[in-house]
Amino acid sequence: MSTYADRLHALREQLRRDRLDGFVVPLTDEHMSEYVGAYAQRLAWLTGFQGSAGSAVVLSSEAAIFTDGRYTLQVRQQVSADHWQYVPVPQVSIAGWLGEHAPEGGRIGYDPWLHTRAWVEEARRALAEKGAELVAVDTNPVDAVWPDRPAPSDATLAVQDDAAAGRSSAAKRAEIAEWLHARKADAVVLSALDSIAWAFNIRGQDVAHTPVALAYAIVNADGTADLFVAPEKLTDAVRQHLGNAIRVHDRATFAPALKGFAGKRVAADPERAVAAIFDSLDKGGAKVLSLRDPVVLAKALKNPAEIAGQKAAQARDGAALVRFLKWFEETAPAGGLTEMSAAAKLQEFREETGVLKDLSFDTISATGPNGAIPHYKVTEESSLPIESGQLYLVDSGGQYADGTTDVTRVMPVGEPTPEMKDRFTRVLKGHIGIATAIFPAGTTGAQLDSFARAPLWEVGLDYGHGTGHGVGAYLSVHEGPQRIAQPFYPGGQSLEPLRAGMFLSNEPGYYKAGEYGIRIENLVLVIEAAIPGAEQPMLAFETLTFAPIERRLIDPALLTPQELQWVNSYHARVMGVVGPHLSEEERQWLEAKVAPIA
């Protein structure tokens, strides 16, 4: 099918054959993943939208695509207004829109393996007010009209050794068993791919840039487990690693297995387990406990081995980024660079480490107006030449066996304008506000978010994304439950108390539509703060990422003495951490970039 209009028409024809008046197409997979394998990229195939969050609704005579503020510009560039309405979330919910637009008495289809039970109930209520019906489908109609849909990955699993993981799988499963005993539960369903990877100390290659494998698991109260994964993905080394306490089954047998818990108390996560899992447990006679996956918080609290691994990965990755920044500064003014070629060069520097497993996400390589799209994804069609007078933003990261990195830097090509320097320095002030925050135990990311925004708010500016997300240990670059963001921001709530051992990003920004974008991102570790005379436990952040912050974009007059001291101290640490990994010529360049600002 050569055009997206053809694909939309084909889906409508399939809905007519299926006796449906509409269908909902989310951007997720049967594990409620944020990043999904190519086989599950239904929204991109249908609409052309390349963002990492969104949904669509197709009715017989109209269609809508739902995205949040991060994608306001991007969705309009990639999805045709001739066929699709642009609907902002969370201002308008999919259920609310269906309640307004679904035909009276209509049948609206959904795939129960791609939605939570809460979403199903919300949509069902909204449609009932119109006399319409929400209908679970056995076969996804998008799949029926997607002729060259990729097959799920058949890549083999790998063992994450105990030295890197910091704890054995047996110890982790014993902790889950204790959690089950405390709740008088017999078993817990793990459906989130990173939870399974963490609990079993395995990694995979089934999702681009995220080292997870397509699998399900059930952990029992005796510490044993059932792992459901395609058998061809298991090597002898993985089977030996899993041992006798983990029974391995074909992934295709997972749904039937859920019906074998009659009379048992089984926990499942209402945010991470799809409606079909709850439906199967109910039909099998299980008593379902809607509880958060016990791995979620345990995984977020990094142990000493994971922290040490992250620091080693950051030093290695920081050196690769410094080499790129030097190359960029020396190459860009002559012209000839594009967003695509710059991204490829940065990947080359990371690959030269010899231990890069993958990028941690598609590099955001954005110059000029593309920089104003926070989650921009460069393609051959969108790639712009990098020209004088522009700001170049690069948000990138690497996956290494000892850590996952994520860093953003901005470089001017030519002389930056006074406005660019003002905005950059205000973003830097917000970044420092987070980096230097000291706060009581129990504080949430929502309470800290305004620290980053205040310097922009002072002059009537803001940015439309969260300030920080959790990061995994050689796992997902976006990891919950911790966040630094406004209380109910696109992508989820940010009301989880921060705890020592959590990794987060610190990434305030500013975006001027059609002109440029600015973001300064480092990763940080939540640590206990030693405050003399403190009457309660206090926490702070330790910065983990080390790369120079561009001096030519800093207006020292806007910085307080304390902020200026932070910049100089940070840059001294950049030299200390990254310098030993560089050649003499590279060290000389870095010394000039991190020289103290008077």
Side-chain angles (χ1 to χ4, degrees), residues 179-180 183-190 217-220 254 257-269 277-278 281-282 284-291:
W179 180 88
L180 288 167
R183 289 152 182 81
K184 297 182 173 57
D186 298 292
V188 59
V189 175
L190 302 182
I218 298 171
V219 180
N220 304 295
F254 171 68
L258 294 174
K259 297 177 182 177
F261 287 91
K264 302 287 189 180
R265 290 167 58 85
V266 181
D269 189 327
I277 290 175
F278 283 88
L281 287 168
D282 285 341
K287 166 63 176 175
V288 184
L289 309 178
S290 292
L291 298 170

Side-chain angles (χ1 to χ4, degrees), residues 419-435:
E419 180 188 277
M420 290 173 177
K421 294 177 68 172
D422 176 272
R423 303 303 190 254
F424 185 90
T425 308
R426 290 182 183 279
V427 171
L428 176 59
K429 288 167 72 71
H431 181 95
I432 296 170
I434 294 295

Side-chain angles (χ1 to χ4, degrees), residues 400-413:
Y400 305 92
D402 51 1
T404 299
T405 69
D406 184 1
V407 53
T408 307
R409 290 296 184 266
V410 177
M411 295 285 282
V413 184

Side-chain angles (χ1 to χ4, degrees), residues 347-536:
Q347 181 168 344
E348 183 182 312
F349 282 118
R350 283 196 167 101
E351 289 172 343
E352 287 174 0
T353 65
V355 291
L356 181 73
K357 298 285 190 179
D358 195 354
L359 300 181
S360 56
F361 55 97
D362 289 317
T363 297
I364 299 173
S365 176
T367 193
N370 285 342
I373 304 171
H375 283 225
Y376 171 70
K377 180 179 179 179
V378 61
T379 64
E380 291 288 355
E381 295 74 27
S382 70
S383 180
L384 292 177
I386 298 171
E387 299 174 337
S388 182
Q390 295 179 336
L391 293 183
Y392 172 70
L393 182 154
V394 59
D395 184 349
S396 66
Q399 291 282 12
Y400 305 92
D402 51 1
T404 299
T405 69
D406 184 1
V407 53
T408 307
R409 290 296 184 266
V410 177
M411 295 285 282
V413 184
E415 187 64 27
T417 66
E419 180 188 277
M420 290 173 177
K421 294 177 68 172
D422 176 272
R423 303 303 190 254
F424 185 90
T425 308
R426 290 182 183 279
V427 171
L428 176 59
K429 288 167 72 71
H431 181 95
I432 296 170
I434 294 295
T436 59
I438 297 173
F439 47 95
T443 298
T444 69
Q447 290 172 282
L448 299 181
D449 183 69
S450 60
F451 290 22
R453 298 179 190 271
L456 290 165
W457 287 350
E458 287 174 355
V459 290
L461 307 174
D462 203 351
Y463 52 93
H465 57 74
T467 299
H469 55 81
V471 177
Y474 186 37
L475 272 175
S476 177
V477 74
H478 288 170
E479 177 180 272
Q482 69 274 26
R483 297 181 179 91
I484 303 173
Q486 294 172 340
F488 300 97
Y489 86 114
Q493 298 183 11
S494 52
L495 303 178
E496 182 73 26
L498 302 183
R499 297 170 174 85
M502 290 178 166
F503 295 155
L504 295 108
S505 66
N506 172 10
E507 51 178 309
Y510 169 74
Y511 309 92
K512 187 170 185 179
E515 296 194 27
Y516 60 86
I518 294 165
R519 186 160 63 251
I520 303 172
E521 178 184 18
N522 289 338
L523 300 190
V524 297
L525 168 67
V526 183
I527 59 173
E528 295 178 358
I531 308 297
E535 297 181 353
Q536 58 186 318

Side-chain angles (χ1 to χ4, degrees), residues 23-26 32 55-57 66 93-96 98 108-112 114-127 134-136 270-271 273-275:
F23 189 72
V24 182
V25 185
M32 296 306 297
S55 295
V57 175
F66 300 74
S93 69
I94 296 173
L98 281 170
I108 306 301
Y110 77 101
D111 186 336
L114 299 178
H115 297 274
T116 64
R117 174 168 277 193
W119 181 90
V120 171
E121 291 171 351
E122 180 189 10
R124 186 163 282 146
R125 286 194 301 268
L127 287 169
L134 189 67
V135 179
E271 289 185 27
V274 295

